[in-house]
Amino acid sequence: MSAPAVPGAPGSPDCPEAHQVPEPPGATGPREAAFPAELGPWHRSLRAEFPIITAHPELVYFDSAATAQKPRAVLDAVQTYLTTANANAGRGTYPWANASTELVERARDRIRSFLSDPAPLESTVHFTSGTTEGLRTVARDWLPELLDDGDEIVVPFADHQANLVPWLEARELLAARGKRITVREMPYQASSGDYDPAALAASAGPRTRFVAVTHVHHVYGADMNVHRVREAVGPDAVICLDAAQSVGHLPVSVAELDVDFVAFSGHKALALPGSGAVWARQRRGPRFVPGGWSGTPNTTGIVSLTAALDWLREAGEDRIERWTTALALRLTDGLRQLGAYDVLGCRQSLALDSDVQHRCGIVTFRHRAIGASDLGFILFSHGFMVRTDDHCQGDGGEKSSSVRVSVHVYNSPGEIDRLLEVLTTLE
């Protein structure tokens, strides 16, 4: 299996196959172009709802792809639950236990609604500790029942390891049962880091039973155009979606995305750590039923997840996406004008007047002379908290460390401009 070319490397071609976006409206200055200024009051009111952000005005949190901060509504929901109805869900008949059980079931319904589930009576929701456990549950408890000897699966080797390692483990599990399956590497476009649907269509066949995909790439910040994967593999293959970087950051509709599984993490969607879920359509393949005994659920995490999804829906996932995409565009355009930095991913998407898709709140880059870790320490000395390592990519991903800036609704254009001012001094 050959590793894909590093996308966006200096001298690489443009990425014309990237999703087209409308031309930005006129504006008063280069960094104001395409920025949704009408959302300014909306942003300021929402930013004020994050206690940890307002308590530290001297710091700028730019690591939301790792974990997002929590609004007051989520913190209050947890506090209220723990002080009024804390009990073991599904294991009692007294009022507190009944209330806890009802909260868990409400959370399942809320997830279906949040994902725009077109058939909520047919689908199921299984709570997990996050995306990694969710994908591993599908790989361990369901995939072996789907596959026969000689079948093929396609998995991404340049995405997060959480969407690679479980499928390789499933191959070993099947081998121990006497079933040999072929794991094929998802093909990528060398210029953009996006999936290559033409190459995928050419390699997929009747034995291609399962495909693992990522919704938004955790390093390049790109929407991976999952609808093209469905077109490439046909109507019968099962598709499992890693939505760790999309749920809570942009609208996710399973009515539009013809996928069979969606796994996501609560802590990246404004909820508490240790919460997450797998949504299963239950249409293709055997019925998804997680194995083993179902122990005590993380009721507090589930309560926080419901509150977070309620908060996100009220704030508007479409407005959050517009805001964070505009912040990422502001940063990429500024970096494009600095000769000391290389931005990873599709280089044609860097400019404010680009006609291809922009980064979904994630921008990753390298300084040509300063190592990523050193740059991270320098940035923190100026109050910026960023991620600096190889970002847990699979074997086909980036081999060198880089700096990742990831934003959410609580970040502001002024914070982006402050970061660019510091990066400019390091030219």
mmCIF file of all heavy atoms in Angstrom, residues 176-222:
data_model
loop_
_atom_site.group_PDB
_atom_site.id
_atom_site.type_symbol
_atom_site.label_atom_id
_atom_site.label_comp_id
_atom_site.label_asym_id
_atom_site.label_seq_id
_atom_site.Cartn_x
_atom_site.Cartn_y
_atom_site.Cartn_z
ATOM 1 N N ALA A 176 -8.319 -14.881 12.592
ATOM 2 C CA ALA A 176 -8.335 -15.894 13.640
ATOM 3 C C ALA A 176 -9.548 -16.803 13.517
ATOM 4 O O ALA A 176 -9.529 -17.932 14.012
ATOM 5 C CB ALA A 176 -8.323 -15.216 15.009
ATOM 6 N N ARG A 177 -10.582 -16.331 12.833
ATOM 7 C CA ARG A 177 -11.783 -17.136 12.614
ATOM 8 C C ARG A 177 -11.754 -17.872 11.271
ATOM 9 O O ARG A 177 -12.741 -18.487 10.876
ATOM 10 C CB ARG A 177 -13.021 -16.238 12.663
ATOM 11 C CG ARG A 177 -13.234 -15.552 14.000
ATOM 12 C CD ARG A 177 -14.505 -14.695 13.966
ATOM 13 N NE ARG A 177 -14.716 -13.983 15.234
ATOM 14 C CZ ARG A 177 -15.750 -13.186 15.469
ATOM 15 N NH1 ARG A 177 -16.677 -13.009 14.520
ATOM 16 N NH2 ARG A 177 -15.870 -12.571 16.629
ATOM 17 N N GLY A 178 -10.636 -17.753 10.560
ATOM 18 C CA GLY A 178 -10.500 -18.452 9.292
ATOM 19 C C GLY A 178 -11.028 -17.693 8.091
ATOM 20 O O GLY A 178 -11.192 -18.273 7.009
ATOM 21 N N LYS A 179 -11.299 -16.394 8.259
ATOM 22 C CA LYS A 179 -11.765 -15.572 7.143
ATOM 23 C C LYS A 179 -10.660 -14.596 6.739
ATOM 24 O O LYS A 179 -10.176 -13.821 7.552
ATOM 25 C CB LYS A 179 -13.021 -14.785 7.531
ATOM 26 C CG LYS A 179 -14.240 -15.632 7.819
ATOM 27 C CD LYS A 179 -15.440 -14.742 8.135
ATOM 28 C CE LYS A 179 -16.688 -15.554 8.422
ATOM 29 N NZ LYS A 179 -17.858 -14.679 8.721
ATOM 30 N N ARG A 180 -10.274 -14.650 5.489
ATOM 31 C CA ARG A 180 -9.258 -13.741 4.973
ATOM 32 C C ARG A 180 -9.939 -12.633 4.186
ATOM 33 O O ARG A 180 -10.633 -12.892 3.202
ATOM 34 C CB ARG A 180 -8.262 -14.487 4.093
ATOM 35 C CG ARG A 180 -7.394 -15.494 4.841
ATOM 36 C CD ARG A 180 -6.531 -16.280 3.897
ATOM 37 N NE ARG A 180 -7.362 -17.077 2.980
ATOM 38 C CZ ARG A 180 -6.872 -17.815 1.976
ATOM 39 N NH1 ARG A 180 -5.574 -17.846 1.752
ATOM 40 N NH2 ARG A 180 -7.692 -18.523 1.210
ATOM 41 N N ILE A 181 -9.727 -11.405 4.626
ATOM 42 C CA ILE A 181 -10.296 -10.267 3.912
ATOM 43 C C ILE A 181 -9.176 -9.365 3.426
ATOM 44 O O ILE A 181 -8.061 -9.377 3.969
ATOM 45 C CB ILE A 181 -11.277 -9.467 4.794
ATOM 46 C CG1 ILE A 181 -10.521 -8.796 5.940
ATOM 47 C CG2 ILE A 181 -12.387 -10.346 5.316
ATOM 48 C CD1 ILE A 181 -11.341 -7.737 6.657
ATOM 49 N N THR A 182 -9.438 -8.593 2.408
ATOM 50 C CA THR A 182 -8.465 -7.667 1.850
ATOM 51 C C THR A 182 -8.792 -6.254 2.333
ATOM 52 O O THR A 182 -9.934 -5.803 2.211
ATOM 53 C CB THR A 182 -8.491 -7.687 0.315
ATOM 54 O OG1 THR A 182 -8.155 -9.001 -0.131
ATOM 55 C CG2 THR A 182 -7.506 -6.682 -0.258
ATOM 56 N N VAL A 183 -7.794 -5.587 2.903
ATOM 57 C CA VAL A 183 -7.945 -4.191 3.313
ATOM 58 C C VAL A 183 -7.306 -3.322 2.242
ATOM 59 O O VAL A 183 -6.102 -3.393 2.015
ATOM 60 C CB VAL A 183 -7.278 -3.925 4.677
ATOM 61 C CG1 VAL A 183 -7.363 -2.441 5.032
ATOM 62 C CG2 VAL A 183 -7.929 -4.767 5.758
ATOM 63 N N ARG A 184 -8.114 -2.539 1.567
ATOM 64 C CA ARG A 184 -7.612 -1.640 0.529
ATOM 65 C C ARG A 184 -7.509 -0.219 1.080
ATOM 66 O O ARG A 184 -8.341 0.220 1.859
ATOM 67 C CB ARG A 184 -8.518 -1.661 -0.696
ATOM 68 C CG ARG A 184 -8.550 -3.005 -1.399
ATOM 69 C CD ARG A 184 -9.139 -2.874 -2.806
ATOM 70 N NE ARG A 184 -9.179 -4.157 -3.484
ATOM 71 C CZ ARG A 184 -8.143 -4.699 -4.123
ATOM 72 N NH1 ARG A 184 -6.994 -4.042 -4.160
ATOM 73 N NH2 ARG A 184 -8.256 -5.862 -4.722
ATOM 74 N N GLU A 185 -6.478 0.486 0.639
ATOM 75 C CA GLU A 185 -6.265 1.861 1.067
ATOM 76 C C GLU A 185 -7.159 2.809 0.282
ATOM 77 O O GLU A 185 -7.226 2.746 -0.948
ATOM 78 C CB GLU A 185 -4.807 2.247 0.866
ATOM 79 C CG GLU A 185 -4.474 3.666 1.273
ATOM 80 C CD GLU A 185 -3.017 3.999 1.037
ATOM 81 O OE1 GLU A 185 -2.206 3.056 0.921
ATOM 82 O OE2 GLU A 185 -2.695 5.192 0.979
ATOM 83 N N MET A 186 -7.844 3.671 0.984
ATOM 84 C CA MET A 186 -8.640 4.698 0.325
ATOM 85 C C MET A 186 -7.723 5.579 -0.522
ATOM 86 O O MET A 186 -6.740 6.118 -0.027
ATOM 87 C CB MET A 186 -9.350 5.561 1.372
ATOM 88 C CG MET A 186 -10.084 6.753 0.797
ATOM 89 S SD MET A 186 -11.557 6.313 -0.143
ATOM 90 C CE MET A 186 -12.684 5.911 1.212
ATOM 91 N N PRO A 187 -8.016 5.739 -1.815
ATOM 92 C CA PRO A 187 -7.167 6.598 -2.647
ATOM 93 C C PRO A 187 -7.433 8.075 -2.371
ATOM 94 O O PRO A 187 -8.565 8.476 -2.101
ATOM 95 C CB PRO A 187 -7.574 6.217 -4.072
ATOM 96 C CG PRO A 187 -8.968 5.694 -3.949
ATOM 97 C CD PRO A 187 -9.063 5.055 -2.600
ATOM 98 N N TYR A 188 -6.362 8.879 -2.435
ATOM 99 C CA TYR A 188 -6.442 10.307 -2.176
ATOM 100 C C TYR A 188 -5.990 11.101 -3.394
ATOM 101 O O TYR A 188 -5.153 10.649 -4.176
ATOM 102 C CB TYR A 188 -5.543 10.706 -0.999
ATOM 103 C CG TYR A 188 -5.951 10.140 0.332
ATOM 104 C CD1 TYR A 188 -5.581 8.842 0.701
ATOM 105 C CD2 TYR A 188 -6.688 10.882 1.228
ATOM 106 C CE1 TYR A 188 -5.946 8.320 1.930
ATOM 107 C CE2 TYR A 188 -7.055 10.369 2.466
ATOM 108 C CZ TYR A 188 -6.675 9.086 2.812
ATOM 109 O OH TYR A 188 -7.036 8.565 4.033
ATOM 110 N N GLN A 189 -6.502 12.312 -3.518
ATOM 111 C CA GLN A 189 -5.992 13.257 -4.498
ATOM 112 C C GLN A 189 -4.711 13.871 -3.943
ATOM 113 O O GLN A 189 -4.694 14.410 -2.839
ATOM 114 C CB GLN A 189 -7.015 14.360 -4.775
ATOM 115 C CG GLN A 189 -8.321 13.872 -5.374
ATOM 116 C CD GLN A 189 -9.333 14.986 -5.518
ATOM 117 O OE1 GLN A 189 -8.982 16.164 -5.477
ATOM 118 N NE2 GLN A 189 -10.593 14.628 -5.672
ATOM 119 N N ALA A 190 -3.630 13.791 -4.711
ATOM 120 C CA ALA A 190 -2.342 14.257 -4.218
ATOM 121 C C ALA A 190 -2.332 15.757 -3.952
ATOM 122 O O ALA A 190 -1.620 16.231 -3.074
ATOM 123 C CB ALA A 190 -1.247 13.907 -5.223
ATOM 124 N N SER A 191 -3.131 16.528 -4.687
ATOM 125 C CA SER A 191 -3.061 17.979 -4.571
ATOM 126 C C SER A 191 -3.880 18.537 -3.420
ATOM 127 O O SER A 191 -3.585 19.609 -2.912
ATOM 128 C CB SER A 191 -3.530 18.638 -5.873
ATOM 129 O OG SER A 191 -4.864 18.258 -6.162
ATOM 130 N N SER A 192 -4.917 17.817 -2.994
ATOM 131 C CA SER A 192 -5.835 18.398 -2.015
ATOM 132 C C SER A 192 -5.931 17.620 -0.712
ATOM 133 O O SER A 192 -6.335 18.167 0.306
ATOM 134 C CB SER A 192 -7.241 18.501 -2.623
ATOM 135 O OG SER A 192 -7.778 17.206 -2.831
ATOM 136 N N GLY A 193 -5.586 16.344 -0.709
ATOM 137 C CA GLY A 193 -5.789 15.510 0.466
ATOM 138 C C GLY A 193 -7.184 14.950 0.548
ATOM 139 O O GLY A 193 -7.498 14.184 1.455
ATOM 140 N N ASP A 194 -8.063 15.298 -0.406
ATOM 141 C CA ASP A 194 -9.414 14.765 -0.445
ATOM 142 C C ASP A 194 -9.369 13.350 -1.015
ATOM 143 O O ASP A 194 -8.388 12.931 -1.631
ATOM 144 C CB ASP A 194 -10.297 15.660 -1.317
ATOM 145 C CG ASP A 194 -11.781 15.444 -1.078
ATOM 146 O OD1 ASP A 194 -12.114 14.601 -0.221
ATOM 147 O OD2 ASP A 194 -12.593 16.096 -1.739
ATOM 148 N N TYR A 195 -10.451 12.600 -0.800
ATOM 149 C CA TYR A 195 -10.540 11.285 -1.410
ATOM 150 C C TYR A 195 -10.621 11.414 -2.927
ATOM 151 O O TYR A 195 -11.075 12.434 -3.469
ATOM 152 C CB TYR A 195 -11.767 10.534 -0.894
ATOM 153 C CG TYR A 195 -11.777 10.318 0.595
ATOM 154 C CD1 TYR A 195 -12.960 10.442 1.333
ATOM 155 C CD2 TYR A 195 -10.616 9.988 1.294
ATOM 156 C CE1 TYR A 195 -12.982 10.235 2.702
ATOM 157 C CE2 TYR A 195 -10.631 9.784 2.652
ATOM 158 C CZ TYR A 195 -11.810 9.914 3.361
ATOM 159 O OH TYR A 195 -11.825 9.716 4.723
ATOM 160 N N ASP A 196 -10.176 10.374 -3.608
ATOM 161 C CA ASP A 196 -10.195 10.349 -5.072
ATOM 162 C C ASP A 196 -11.316 9.411 -5.511
ATOM 163 O O ASP A 196 -11.117 8.190 -5.605
ATOM 164 C CB ASP A 196 -8.841 9.866 -5.595
ATOM 165 C CG ASP A 196 -8.718 9.973 -7.103
ATOM 166 O OD1 ASP A 196 -9.763 9.979 -7.784
ATOM 167 O OD2 ASP A 196 -7.585 10.038 -7.610
ATOM 168 N N PRO A 197 -12.504 9.938 -5.796
ATOM 169 C CA PRO A 197 -13.644 9.068 -6.109
ATOM 170 C C PRO A 197 -13.473 8.294 -7.411
ATOM 171 O O PRO A 197 -13.971 7.173 -7.530
ATOM 172 C CB PRO A 197 -14.823 10.042 -6.177
ATOM 173 C CG PRO A 197 -14.213 11.372 -6.446
ATOM 174 C CD PRO A 197 -12.883 11.363 -5.780
ATOM 175 N N ALA A 198 -12.762 8.880 -8.375
ATOM 176 C CA ALA A 198 -12.561 8.174 -9.647
ATOM 177 C C ALA A 198 -11.706 6.928 -9.437
ATOM 178 O O ALA A 198 -12.020 5.845 -9.944
ATOM 179 C CB ALA A 198 -11.928 9.104 -10.668
ATOM 180 N N ALA A 199 -10.613 7.072 -8.674
ATOM 181 C CA ALA A 199 -9.755 5.924 -8.395
ATOM 182 C C ALA A 199 -10.481 4.907 -7.539
ATOM 183 O O ALA A 199 -10.310 3.690 -7.714
ATOM 184 C CB ALA A 199 -8.471 6.386 -7.712
ATOM 185 N N LEU A 200 -11.312 5.371 -6.620
ATOM 186 C CA LEU A 200 -12.076 4.457 -5.778
ATOM 187 C C LEU A 200 -13.070 3.661 -6.613
ATOM 188 O O LEU A 200 -13.199 2.437 -6.450
ATOM 189 C CB LEU A 200 -12.810 5.236 -4.694
ATOM 190 C CG LEU A 200 -13.713 4.430 -3.758
ATOM 191 C CD1 LEU A 200 -12.923 3.367 -3.004
ATOM 192 C CD2 LEU A 200 -14.423 5.360 -2.770
ATOM 193 N N ALA A 201 -13.754 4.326 -7.533
ATOM 194 C CA ALA A 201 -14.718 3.637 -8.389
ATOM 195 C C ALA A 201 -14.038 2.594 -9.257
ATOM 196 O O ALA A 201 -14.595 1.513 -9.511
ATOM 197 C CB ALA A 201 -15.458 4.654 -9.253
ATOM 198 N N ALA A 202 -12.821 2.903 -9.710
ATOM 199 C CA ALA A 202 -12.093 1.973 -10.568
ATOM 200 C C ALA A 202 -11.633 0.732 -9.817
ATOM 201 O O ALA A 202 -11.504 -0.355 -10.403
ATOM 202 C CB ALA A 202 -10.894 2.677 -11.197
ATOM 203 N N SER A 203 -11.393 0.873 -8.509
ATOM 204 C CA SER A 203 -10.867 -0.259 -7.738
ATOM 205 C C SER A 203 -11.959 -1.030 -6.998
ATOM 206 O O SER A 203 -11.752 -2.186 -6.623
ATOM 207 C CB SER A 203 -9.846 0.246 -6.711
ATOM 208 O OG SER A 203 -10.450 1.126 -5.777
ATOM 209 N N ALA A 204 -13.116 -0.421 -6.778
ATOM 210 C CA ALA A 204 -14.194 -1.098 -6.047
ATOM 211 C C ALA A 204 -14.847 -2.149 -6.925
ATOM 212 O O ALA A 204 -14.989 -1.977 -8.138
ATOM 213 C CB ALA A 204 -15.226 -0.077 -5.575
ATOM 214 N N GLY A 205 -15.236 -3.244 -6.296
ATOM 215 C CA GLY A 205 -15.868 -4.329 -7.040
ATOM 216 C C GLY A 205 -16.973 -4.968 -6.224
ATOM 217 O O GLY A 205 -17.343 -4.488 -5.143
ATOM 218 N N PRO A 206 -17.492 -6.085 -6.684
ATOM 219 C CA PRO A 206 -18.594 -6.749 -5.976
ATOM 220 C C PRO A 206 -18.203 -7.269 -4.599
ATOM 221 O O PRO A 206 -19.079 -7.490 -3.751
ATOM 222 C CB PRO A 206 -18.991 -7.890 -6.918
ATOM 223 C CG PRO A 206 -17.785 -8.108 -7.783
ATOM 224 C CD PRO A 206 -17.160 -6.777 -7.950
ATOM 225 N N ARG A 207 -16.903 -7.452 -4.350
ATOM 226 C CA ARG A 207 -16.482 -7.918 -3.022
ATOM 227 C C ARG A 207 -16.169 -6.759 -2.072
ATOM 228 O O ARG A 207 -15.756 -6.984 -0.939
ATOM 229 C CB ARG A 207 -15.252 -8.832 -3.138
ATOM 230 C CG ARG A 207 -15.458 -10.056 -4.007
ATOM 231 C CD ARG A 207 -16.661 -10.912 -3.585
ATOM 232 N NE ARG A 207 -16.555 -11.469 -2.246
ATOM 233 C CZ ARG A 207 -16.029 -12.669 -1.960
ATOM 234 N NH1 ARG A 207 -15.557 -13.424 -2.934
ATOM 235 N NH2 ARG A 207 -15.995 -13.106 -0.718
ATOM 236 N N THR A 208 -16.317 -5.515 -2.545
ATOM 237 C CA THR A 208 -16.124 -4.350 -1.683
ATOM 238 C C THR A 208 -17.384 -4.183 -0.842
ATOM 239 O O THR A 208 -18.396 -3.664 -1.305
ATOM 240 C CB THR A 208 -15.856 -3.076 -2.501
ATOM 241 O OG1 THR A 208 -14.722 -3.282 -3.348
ATOM 242 C CG2 THR A 208 -15.593 -1.889 -1.580
ATOM 243 N N ARG A 209 -17.328 -4.617 0.405
ATOM 244 C CA ARG A 209 -18.525 -4.668 1.242
ATOM 245 C C ARG A 209 -18.630 -3.510 2.223
ATOM 246 O O ARG A 209 -19.730 -3.186 2.687
ATOM 247 C CB ARG A 209 -18.524 -5.984 2.036
ATOM 248 C CG ARG A 209 -18.425 -7.249 1.183
ATOM 249 C CD ARG A 209 -19.683 -7.491 0.383
ATOM 250 N NE ARG A 209 -20.881 -7.455 1.206
ATOM 251 C CZ ARG A 209 -21.274 -8.455 2.010
ATOM 252 N NH1 ARG A 209 -20.534 -9.561 2.105
ATOM 253 N NH2 ARG A 209 -22.383 -8.352 2.725
ATOM 254 N N PHE A 210 -17.484 -2.885 2.555
ATOM 255 C CA PHE A 210 -17.477 -1.894 3.633
ATOM 256 C C PHE A 210 -16.448 -0.811 3.329
ATOM 257 O O PHE A 210 -15.347 -1.101 2.856
ATOM 258 C CB PHE A 210 -17.132 -2.575 4.957
ATOM 259 C CG PHE A 210 -17.012 -1.652 6.134
ATOM 260 C CD1 PHE A 210 -18.124 -1.336 6.910
ATOM 261 C CD2 PHE A 210 -15.784 -1.115 6.494
ATOM 262 C CE1 PHE A 210 -18.007 -0.491 8.007
ATOM 263 C CE2 PHE A 210 -15.658 -0.280 7.587
ATOM 264 C CZ PHE A 210 -16.778 0.032 8.349
ATOM 265 N N VAL A 211 -16.822 0.472 3.613
ATOM 266 C CA VAL A 211 -15.921 1.603 3.397
ATOM 267 C C VAL A 211 -15.971 2.505 4.628
ATOM 268 O O VAL A 211 -17.051 2.891 5.089
ATOM 269 C CB VAL A 211 -16.322 2.413 2.149
ATOM 270 C CG1 VAL A 211 -15.317 3.543 1.910
ATOM 271 C CG2 VAL A 211 -16.416 1.516 0.920
ATOM 272 N N ALA A 212 -14.807 2.837 5.170
ATOM 273 C CA ALA A 212 -14.709 3.776 6.288
ATOM 274 C C ALA A 212 -14.265 5.131 5.747
ATOM 275 O O ALA A 212 -13.312 5.211 4.959
ATOM 276 C CB ALA A 212 -13.703 3.267 7.323
ATOM 277 N N VAL A 213 -14.960 6.174 6.151
ATOM 278 C CA VAL A 213 -14.652 7.518 5.654
ATOM 279 C C VAL A 213 -14.652 8.514 6.811
ATOM 280 O O VAL A 213 -15.170 8.241 7.899
ATOM 281 C CB VAL A 213 -15.660 7.974 4.576
ATOM 282 C CG1 VAL A 213 -15.583 7.089 3.351
ATOM 283 C CG2 VAL A 213 -17.081 7.995 5.134
ATOM 284 N N THR A 214 -14.084 9.677 6.530
ATOM 285 C CA THR A 214 -14.039 10.784 7.480
ATOM 286 C C THR A 214 -14.847 11.940 6.904
ATOM 287 O O THR A 214 -14.748 12.226 5.715
ATOM 288 C CB THR A 214 -12.590 11.227 7.726
ATOM 289 O OG1 THR A 214 -11.857 10.132 8.289
ATOM 290 C CG2 THR A 214 -12.521 12.410 8.666
ATOM 291 N N HIS A 215 -15.620 12.601 7.748
ATOM 292 C CA HIS A 215 -16.440 13.715 7.263
ATOM 293 C C HIS A 215 -15.602 14.972 7.064
ATOM 294 O O HIS A 215 -15.570 15.544 5.972
ATOM 295 C CB HIS A 215 -17.579 13.987 8.230
ATOM 296 C CG HIS A 215 -18.694 14.783 7.629
ATOM 297 N ND1 HIS A 215 -19.808 15.158 8.332
ATOM 298 C CD2 HIS A 215 -18.860 15.290 6.380
ATOM 299 C CE1 HIS A 215 -20.623 15.837 7.539
ATOM 300 N NE2 HIS A 215 -20.060 15.936 6.365
ATOM 301 N N VAL A 216 -14.919 15.429 8.115
ATOM 302 C CA VAL A 216 -14.016 16.581 8.036
ATOM 303 C C VAL A 216 -12.640 16.128 8.508
ATOM 304 O O VAL A 216 -12.508 15.570 9.600
ATOM 305 C CB VAL A 216 -14.517 17.754 8.903
ATOM 306 C CG1 VAL A 216 -13.464 18.853 8.984
ATOM 307 C CG2 VAL A 216 -15.821 18.317 8.346
ATOM 308 N N HIS A 217 -11.622 16.380 7.681
ATOM 309 C CA HIS A 217 -10.277 15.902 8.012
ATOM 310 C C HIS A 217 -9.698 16.690 9.177
ATOM 311 O O HIS A 217 -9.758 17.922 9.211
ATOM 312 C CB HIS A 217 -9.350 16.014 6.802
ATOM 313 C CG HIS A 217 -8.163 15.124 6.888
ATOM 314 N ND1 HIS A 217 -7.056 15.451 7.635
ATOM 315 C CD2 HIS A 217 -7.906 13.901 6.346
ATOM 316 C CE1 HIS A 217 -6.158 14.474 7.536
ATOM 317 N NE2 HIS A 217 -6.652 13.521 6.765
ATOM 318 N N HIS A 218 -9.116 15.963 10.133
ATOM 319 C CA HIS A 218 -8.663 16.595 11.369
ATOM 320 C C HIS A 218 -7.337 17.336 11.214
ATOM 321 O O HIS A 218 -6.904 18.026 12.148
ATOM 322 C CB HIS A 218 -8.531 15.540 12.473
ATOM 323 C CG HIS A 218 -7.361 14.622 12.309
ATOM 324 N ND1 HIS A 218 -7.241 13.731 11.274
ATOM 325 C CD2 HIS A 218 -6.235 14.461 13.063
ATOM 326 C CE1 HIS A 218 -6.115 13.059 11.393
ATOM 327 N NE2 HIS A 218 -5.487 13.482 12.469
ATOM 328 N N VAL A 219 -6.676 17.218 10.068
ATOM 329 C CA VAL A 219 -5.437 17.954 9.821
ATOM 330 C C VAL A 219 -5.641 19.017 8.741
ATOM 331 O O VAL A 219 -5.261 20.171 8.909
ATOM 332 C CB VAL A 219 -4.288 17.008 9.401
ATOM 333 C CG1 VAL A 219 -3.025 17.808 9.039
ATOM 334 C CG2 VAL A 219 -3.980 16.032 10.522
ATOM 335 N N TYR A 220 -6.271 18.642 7.639
ATOM 336 C CA TYR A 220 -6.423 19.571 6.513
ATOM 337 C C TYR A 220 -7.673 20.433 6.617
ATOM 338 O O TYR A 220 -7.805 21.423 5.902
ATOM 339 C CB TYR A 220 -6.436 18.796 5.190
ATOM 340 C CG TYR A 220 -5.289 17.829 5.071
ATOM 341 C CD1 TYR A 220 -5.489 16.500 4.716
ATOM 342 C CD2 TYR A 220 -3.989 18.243 5.353
ATOM 343 C CE1 TYR A 220 -4.438 15.610 4.626
ATOM 344 C CE2 TYR A 220 -2.933 17.361 5.275
ATOM 345 C CZ TYR A 220 -3.158 16.048 4.912
ATOM 346 O OH TYR A 220 -2.116 15.167 4.840
ATOM 347 N N GLY A 221 -8.603 20.055 7.494
ATOM 348 C CA GLY A 221 -9.803 20.848 7.687
ATOM 349 C C GLY A 221 -10.783 20.780 6.544
ATOM 350 O O GLY A 221 -11.717 21.589 6.469
ATOM 351 N N ALA A 222 -10.625 19.828 5.651
ATOM 352 C CA ALA A 222 -11.458 19.753 4.455
ATOM 353 C C ALA A 222 -12.672 18.860 4.665
ATOM 354 O O ALA A 222 -12.579 17.819 5.317
ATOM 355 C CB ALA A 222 -10.639 19.220 3.275
#
